[in-house]
Amino acid sequence: MESENASILFRGPEKYFLFPDNITRPSRVGSTEYCVMKPGVYNIYLPINETDHQENPIGAAEFKDGGSYVVAIHQNSAHNISKITIFVTVLHNSVHMLYQLPQIIVLTAGEIMFEVTGLDFSYCESPESLKSMVQGMWFFTNGIGNAFFIIIEGISSIKKRSHEFFMYAVIMTISMLLFAILGHYFTYVDDRMEEKQVE
């Protein structure tokens, strides 16, 4: 390119002018800043001078949502050849984000019911002098669960996400069974009070 300040034009859903910098050999090798673009198909135009661009694009590139790309432009002035090569550094989103909405709703509803019920249970079933401590222990168990998750993620050598999700499902099933057993044999405060009154 004849000028370091000449911009490369990306024309598609939006217009973007990218200016080469970090020139290692004047007018021959350079790179541009990272640019966030609206997804779509873009025609790429090289500059003729500092204000005008070529009429015909040297090529087109499709940028998809969530992807990261490197566009390499090669020019051979001797043969008047320009070509582009596109490298994908991060794959685009293959599943639309709205598909996560049902899972988010179910998880949020479950979290609300679990937290509210757990806090109510820890408050009502604890002795008067230990209510704060028992609620603190309730939050402490949440912290232990989060730490357990971090440790598993750190040491896990499972490569497939499906196997990892299956492992978490097995751990959750075991914890559900333990809670069911503890709940079956648990004696509520009202029952304990009735037993004392009978005696």
Side-chain angles (χ1 to χ4, degrees), residues 9-192:
L9 171 61
F10 286 76
R11 182 181 288 160
E14 300 283 342
K15 271 187 182 179
Y16 297 95
F17 297 92
L18 301 180
F19 297 89
D21 58 5
N22 301 325
I23 304 294
T24 54
R25 290 184 294 165
S27 304
R28 292 187 180 276
V29 178
S31 63
T32 66
E33 291 291 327
Y34 182 79
C35 178
V36 179
M37 293 186 171
K38 187 175 180 180
V41 178
Y42 288 84
N43 290 323
I44 302 171
Y45 299 86
L46 291 177
I48 300 171
N49 51 44
E50 292 187 12
T51 56
D52 296 323
H53 292 84
Q54 295 176 349
E55 290 184 10
N56 298 320
I58 61 168
E62 183 178 8
F63 303 128
K64 296 184 178 179
D65 192 31
S68 178
Y69 305 87
V70 174
V71 179
I73 300 174
H74 173 75
Q75 288 184 274
N76 189 333
S77 55
H79 299 284
N80 197 21
I81 296 173
S82 299
K83 66 176 184 176
I84 62 169
T85 306
I86 300 171
F87 301 95
V88 180
T89 55
V90 176
L91 284 175
H92 64 276
N93 298 334
S94 56
V95 178
H96 198 278
M97 290 178 67
L98 285 179
Y99 283 114
Q100 297 179 16
L101 198 58
Q103 294 92 314
I104 291 170
I105 291 171
V106 170
L107 284 171
T108 304
E111 184 73 20
I112 291 169
M113 289 187 286
F114 184 72
E115 283 295 324
V116 172
T117 305
L119 283 172
D120 179 65
F121 179 80
S122 66
Y123 183 81
C124 294
E125 295 298 314
S126 59
E128 287 291 333
S129 59
L130 295 174
K131 288 191 182 294
S132 297
M133 182 179 174
V134 172
Q135 282 198 304
M137 293 296 291
W138 167 258
F139 287 117
F140 179 70
T141 57
N142 286 348
I144 292 294
N146 291 335
F148 181 67
F149 171 76
I150 292 169
I151 290 168
I152 288 178
E153 282 293 313
I155 63 174
S156 177
S157 59
I158 299 172
K159 293 183 179 178
K160 278 194 172 182
R161 294 294 285 179
S162 58
H163 294 170
E164 190 175 335
F165 292 147
F166 180 74
M167 178 190 69
Y168 286 125
V170 169
I171 292 171
M172 182 58 97
T173 304
I174 293 169
S175 66
M176 285 169 54
L177 290 173
L178 289 174
F179 269 110
I181 293 167
L182 291 171
H184 179 72
Y185 293 105
F186 184 80
T187 304
Y188 288 91
V189 171
D190 294 338
D191 297 338
R192 292 198 294 269

